[in-house]
Amino acid sequence: MAIELSLSEVAAGVFELRLPIPFEDGLVNVFLFTDGAEADLLDCGMNSEESLDAIHRALEQLGSRKLRRLMVTHIHPDHYGAAGMLAGDGLADLYIHRLEVPLVHPRYVELEHLVAEVRHYLLVNGVPPDEAEVLSNSQRSLSQVVKTAEPSVQLDGAESVQMGSRQLRVEWTPGHSPGHICLYEPAEGLLFAGDHILPELSPNIGLHPQSTPDPLHEYLLGLARMSAYTPKLVLPAHGRPFTEVTARVDALVSHHRRRLDQILEILGREEKSGWQVALDLWGPRDNLYEKRLALQEGLAHLQALAVEARVGKSVTPGSVRWRRA
Ligand SMILES: [Zn+2]
């Protein structure tokens, strides 16, 4: 069924298109950059008929006959899902950070290895076996809304890339995903923030088999770097564009600082598993996906505290335990 097109010009030649997704607040924002009869796209929504139809109708409305580049901020399904429908042989060129590339196949194509790896990781972090079974399989459904594509360009960060008629700088901002990127346009102070800085939600920063080893510290460094640009307008992937980046970054940083303090308090004098800490922090949850995210986020905080030597981390083949240093 065709959805009503939500397309608006956010800067000259830059159009925000809002696409439906079945989680977050129900919408992901992608951006079309026009250049004569061609256009470039930042993020592409999920691989669903209504979402793709909206992209094609938007291109038509903008008079763009050809999609030239598809740039993705990271490989989560709402940002990357339709990549294989829009990029590849005879289609657009896919630009993606190189740390995202090795995550694609195990997550969306050959799932068995990752499912087993996640099950093991849940068990060593204290999740009861029956829940670990269900949680490790919860990823499977996501592969249905993703069609993968081969990258044409693998980015390191700091590249200058033409999007529409504008030159944008690739900003590697790991944390939410290892190869998450933002795009920055210094001329007008536009920051395309992906999931790095959202106006209402605190992006999930998790420690898990596909994350980098200390995602929270990386994330906070990236926040400071983006905030130092003092962009005039932040264009996030979820929620509405906003101007007060310093205030928003301050709020996100203090949220994480509070969390770190809370976790130290929860640990008290006892040694605990990540699962125990997550349950104490968030209480029991019904939604499976939320449970897994809560554990991963709790572990990212514990790991940051361990890196700072405020928490001790002890490991055996069967368990990971944390206690106050
Ligand atoms: Zn994401």
Side-chain angles (χ1 to χ4, degrees), residues 74 76 79 176 195:
H74 62 302
H76 290 169
H79 305 263
H176 178 66
D195 279 357

Side-chain angles (χ1 to χ4, degrees), residues 137-214:
N137 281 293
S138 64
Q139 184 82 28
R140 287 183 196 275
S141 60
L142 290 178
S143 64
Q144 290 157 12
V145 285
V146 175
K147 186 163 163 55
T148 68
E150 287 298 316
S152 300
V153 176
Q154 297 198 32
L155 302 159
D156 293 316
E159 292 86 353
S160 171
V161 179
Q162 189 186 343
M163 292 289 278
S165 54
R166 291 166 182 263
Q167 287 295 326
L168 294 146
R169 188 179 137 95
V170 176
E171 298 289 344
W172 177 43
T173 46
H176 178 66
S177 193
H180 185 286
I181 57 167
C182 298
L183 292 182
Y184 184 56
E185 204 225 31
E188 280 185 47
L190 305 176
L191 178 65
F192 298 88
D195 279 357
H196 187 60
I197 309 174
L198 301 174
E200 272 149 43
L201 302 166
S202 176
N204 182 266
I205 310 299
L207 183 72
H208 56 83
Q210 282 200 329
S211 73
T212 48
D214 185 11

Side-chain angles (χ1 to χ4, degrees), residues 13 15 31-42 55 58-60 62-70 92-93 162-165:
F15 298 83
F31 296 90
L32 279 159
F33 300 73
T34 56
D35 186 12
E38 300 189 311
D40 302 313
L41 179 62
L42 175 64
I55 291 176
L59 284 167
E60 200 175 308
L62 298 174
S64 309
R65 284 189 293 279
K66 186 179 173 232
L67 190 62
R68 186 169 55 183
R69 296 186 188 95
L70 168 64
D93 283 326
Q162 189 186 343
M163 292 289 278
S165 54

Side-chain angles (χ1 to χ4, degrees), residues 9-301:
E9 190 164 24
V10 289
V14 184
F15 298 83
E16 181 202 59
L17 174 64
R18 311 196 80 192
L19 298 172
I21 54 170
F23 47 80
E24 307 271 343
D25 61 350
L27 291 167
V28 63
N29 311 322
V30 306
F31 296 90
L32 279 159
F33 300 73
T34 56
D35 186 12
E38 300 189 311
D40 302 313
L41 179 62
L42 175 64
D43 284 345
C44 58
M46 288 196 162
N47 182 25
S48 76
E49 216 172 296
E50 52 175 8
S51 183
L52 272 162
D53 175 61
I55 291 176
H56 289 303
R57 279 190 290 141
L59 284 167
E60 200 175 308
Q61 193 168 315
L62 298 174
S64 309
R65 284 189 293 279
K66 186 179 173 232
L67 190 62
R68 186 169 55 183
R69 296 186 188 95
L70 168 64
M71 174 99 58
V72 295
T73 57
H74 62 302
I75 57 125
H76 290 169
D78 45 335
H79 305 263
Y80 171 84
M85 303 298 286
L86 299 167
D89 273 345
L91 300 170
D93 283 326
L94 175 63
Y95 288 57
I96 182 171
H97 192 275
R98 63 184 173 85
L99 291 188
E100 294 296 279
V101 175
L103 311 181
V104 169
H105 198 79
R107 189 179 287 214
Y108 300 127
V109 185
E110 202 87 60
L111 284 82
E112 293 319 312
H113 181 79
L114 185 62
V115 167
E117 205 177 4
V118 168
R119 186 190 302 118
H120 176 73
Y121 139 91
L122 294 170
L123 290 172
V124 298
N125 282 298
V127 178
D130 49 331
E131 295 215 48
E133 188 59 37
V134 182
L135 286 179
S136 62
N137 281 293
S138 64
Q139 184 82 28
R140 287 183 196 275
S141 60
L142 290 178
S143 64
Q144 290 157 12
V145 285
V146 175
K147 186 163 163 55
T148 68
E150 287 298 316
S152 300
V153 176
Q154 297 198 32
L155 302 159
D156 293 316
E159 292 86 353
S160 171
V161 179
Q162 189 186 343
M163 292 289 278
S165 54
R166 291 166 182 263
Q167 287 295 326
L168 294 146
R169 188 179 137 95
V170 176
E171 298 289 344
W172 177 43
T173 46
H176 178 66
S177 193
H180 185 286
I181 57 167
C182 298
L183 292 182
Y184 184 56
E185 204 225 31
E188 280 185 47
L190 305 176
L191 178 65
F192 298 88
D195 279 357
H196 187 60
I197 309 174
L198 301 174
E200 272 149 43
L201 302 166
S202 176
N204 182 266
I205 310 299
L207 183 72
H208 56 83
Q210 282 200 329
S211 73
T212 48
D214 185 11
L216 183 61
H217 280 127
E218 289 184 318
Y219 175 68
L220 295 173
L221 279 174
L223 281 185
R225 212 156 49 78
M226 292 308 100
S227 157
Y229 283 155
T230 54
K232 289 195 184 70
L233 185 64
V234 181
L235 300 136
H238 304 281
R240 304 316 309 131
F242 60 99
T243 52
E244 300 300 319
V245 71
T246 314
R248 185 59 193 139
V249 165
D250 287 350
L252 289 167
V253 171
S254 40
H255 161 77
H256 286 292
R257 291 210 189 298
R258 266 198 313 278
R259 271 286 140 78
L260 293 170
D261 291 342
Q262 268 178 300
I263 286 178
L264 283 175
E265 211 163 289
I266 285 170
L267 281 176
R269 289 290 131 213
E270 261 177 84
E271 190 178 65
K272 290 189 175 179
S273 69
W275 185 242
Q276 284 173 297
V277 172
L279 286 181
D280 280 357
L281 200 52
W282 283 280
R285 303 228 161 187
D286 295 333
N287 182 307
L288 283 178
Y289 189 63
E290 279 179 21
K291 271 191 191 179
R292 206 174 123 178
L293 290 183
L295 172 65
Q296 292 173 180
E297 179 118 8
L299 287 170
H301 285 92

